[in-house]
Amino acid sequence: MLSTDELRTHLLAARLAGVVATTREESLRSYRLFAARDPRLLLGLDPERSWGQRDLIALMADKCGVSADPDCVSGHDVIDPERTLAALDGLAARLASVAQRGAPVLLGTGHPHRLLGFYAAVADALSTAGCDVLTPAKGRCVDITTRFGLRTYNLDYVRGVALVRETGAERAGSATGAHSHSPLPVRVALAAAAAAGGPLPEMVIGDHGWVCGAGQLGFEAIGLADTDDPAPFVGEAEGVVSVVVPLDDGVRSSYYRPLTRYVLNRACLSQ
């Protein structure tokens, strides 16, 4: 089991924190689009206040540790590993709480190629602790607007984690899926659970639209986010999302394994 110091070293070495691959240009573009309330960046969130680009830079500097200087317009973003570690502890505390209650949970990711293993390990641990890991609306079609136009995806579950895949692209149950920011899959899943008479999740765990979409509907939501996705951090600032862990969400999937072990150990869910 990694100590906090060892995990900090890993975060920096794997570029999960410290200098990350996400560029300042990418992040500033996202902040501009979010400020303009572009739905592609809102991820299902409906912010209560007006967030300008400078407001978002200040927020992301506070939540992630990126540069607070509006005149910094190039280079790579920097995530403060101390903020990542603190948020991982917060995530673990919320997982421990739901595990102690044996409450139903829903997990979903828009980054199946990178983050499926992290969420699947959490799903396994929560299931072992007595939580019902929900899989509503499996196989349901979801129409999502992409930069290529309207595409139809199927909602699927792999090891208890929801993802979407293009219709006919891969056999159901395989580990691959599509990258998606859309909140529509979580809305479809939650609506299906409600229509079936429950149970409804007491917590939604994931990223992108899964976190923001669920939080906006009043469900407790926790998860991971990169510096070019301000919506989860805005949701956290406005009390819609409980915990967001700042990290690079696009590194090798194996690099997240030490984080998984650390979080499950902190939550007393190690198997």
Side-chain angles (χ1 to χ4, degrees), residues 22-257:
T22 308
T23 66
R24 182 69 165 183
E25 292 91 336
E26 291 170 329
S27 293
L28 291 177
R29 177 180 179 274
S30 294
Y31 304 163
R32 286 194 296 270
L33 292 174
F34 186 96
R37 296 208 169 217
D38 188 313
R40 293 172 297 176
L41 272 297
L42 293 177
L43 309 184
L45 198 69
D46 183 16
E48 291 182 357
R49 57 166 287 193
S50 176
W51 291 84
Q53 185 178 13
R54 284 179 177 263
D55 300 320
L56 293 167
I57 291 172
L59 174 72
M60 299 301 282
D62 178 58
K63 296 288 187 179
C64 304
V66 302
S67 174
D69 182 2
D71 293 327
C72 176
V73 296
S74 63
H76 287 266
D77 272 340
V78 175
I79 296 176
D80 179 4
E82 301 306 321
R83 288 170 169 83
T84 303
L85 290 167
L88 286 170
D89 288 343
L91 191 84
R94 299 312 306 146
L95 292 177
S97 175
V98 78
Q100 288 166 5
R101 302 193 307 274
V105 295
L106 175 65
L107 297 94
T109 182
H111 267 292
H113 297 85
R114 306 297 185 187
L115 297 175
L116 179 62
F118 176 87
Y119 296 120
V122 172
D124 290 343
L126 290 174
S127 178
T128 299
C131 295
D132 189 2
V133 177
L134 305 178
T135 58
K138 182 174 182 177
R140 190 76 56 87
C141 291
V142 185
D143 292 328
I144 299 175
T145 300
T146 73
R147 67 180 183 273
F148 306 109
L150 190 67
R151 294 286 179 89
T152 298
Y153 295 85
N154 288 332
L155 182 60
D156 197 9
Y157 290 84
V158 177
R159 295 177 58 194
V161 182
L163 50 81
V164 295
R165 61 177 87 254
E166 290 195 55
T167 303
E170 296 285 348
R171 63 179 179 84
S174 65
T176 56
H179 178 214
S180 173
H181 284 211
S182 176
L184 294 178
V186 74
R187 292 174 184 167
V188 168
L190 293 170
L200 293 173
E202 290 193 20
M203 180 180 290
V204 177
I205 305 155
D207 48 61
H208 291 170
W210 288 92
V211 169
C212 293
Q216 187 63 47
L217 292 174
F219 293 87
E220 181 173 12
I222 63 175
L224 317 176
D226 207 334
T227 57
D228 61 348
D229 286 324
F233 298 101
V234 170
E236 186 179 34
E238 293 193 348
V240 173
V241 176
S242 291
V243 179
V244 185
V245 179
L247 48 69
D248 190 317
D249 61 10
V251 303
R252 293 180 183 179
S253 58
S254 61
Y255 291 170
Y256 299 98
R257 290 174 191 159

